[in-house]
Structures are given as C-alpha cells and as structure tokens.
Amino acid sequence: QVQLVESGGGLVQPGGSLRLSCAVSGSHFSIYAMGWSRQAPGKQRELVAIFYSDGSTNYADSVKGRFTISGDNAKNTVYLQMNSLKPEDTAVYYCSADLWDGLDSDYWGQGTQVTVSS
C-alpha cells in the first residue's frame, strides 16, 4: 500500500532552520503533487506549501519568504526547508501526496513534530 514517511523534525531556537523530508513508496501511479501541512494544539490543520510535478509551487502567506518546498520526482520525495523559524511555527507537520489515480482523496504521513523555542 501507499506509505509516506516524514523525517527531520525536532527542537530549534527562534531564527534557526530545519529541513523536513518525505518519501512516498508503494504507489502504482505517478505523483501529481505533494504538500506539507501543519497542525498546532487546538487549531485546524493548515496547508503551508504544495509542490507540483511540473515544478510549480504554492505557499501560505504566513510562510512566504521563509519556507521553500522542493521535490525530487525520481525519488518520489519532497522537502520543506524552513528558515527564520518563529515560535508560531511550532506544530506537527504532515506530508501529503496526490496521485494520478482518479481519486479525490490524498495520502498522508504520520507527522513529525517541530518545536521552535529558546
């Protein structure tokens, strides 16, 4: 079955940087897009960045200029480079994938914790 595995989360000081990775396995279809979302305690899950297979990207206003999403299509892997981190960026970050399989639903990883604190 399709699985997504995130890595790279951890504790970082305000102003620091962190890079998250997500690899997809078990898919019989090409990937249309991959993205990163986050959820802080007591808040709704927020979509922060999307990377499309044609190389285009979209970002939430809250992370523009600080976060960069990139992908390696050959490895079915997406990355999220996070710079100038703020305490408000603290959340569980989830990776997702949308495949060329004719389905509306996405596949999701288990999440990785990012904590920004001094």
Side-chain angles (χ1 to χ4, degrees):
Q1 61 180 6
V2 177
Q3 291 187 325
L4 284 72
V5 180
E6 300 107 329
S7 62
L11 175 65
V12 64
Q13 294 185 342
S17 298
L18 209 59
R19 189 177 78 160
L20 307 182
S21 300
C22 174
V24 179
S25 63
S27 176
H28 298 298
F29 301 91
S30 299
I31 298 175
Y32 168 66
M34 295 186 68
W36 288 96
S37 301
R38 65 187 182 185
Q39 187 168 25
K43 296 185 178 180
Q44 296 290 323
R45 187 172 297 188
E46 173 191 22
L47 179 64
V48 300
I50 305 174
F51 179 84
Y52 296 92
S53 57
D54 65 359
S56 60
T57 59
N58 282 312
Y59 297 93
D61 289 340
S62 59
V63 306
K64 286 182 179 178
R66 299 188 298 119
F67 291 10
T68 301
I69 189 170
S70 61
D72 186 333
N73 291 331
K75 297 181 179 179
N76 286 347
T77 300
V78 68
Y79 307 93
L80 185 67
Q81 179 66 46
M82 303 183 291
N83 299 325
S84 302
L85 284 163
K86 307 173 181 179
E88 65 190 47
D89 295 318
T90 296
V92 177
Y93 283 71
Y94 297 91
C95 176
S96 62
D98 188 6
L99 311 179
W100 288 104
D101 59 2
L103 303 177
D104 289 334
S105 59
D106 296 343
Y107 297 90
W108 293 84
Q110 293 295 109
T112 184
Q113 177 71 47
V114 172
T115 302
V116 184
S117 176
S118 60

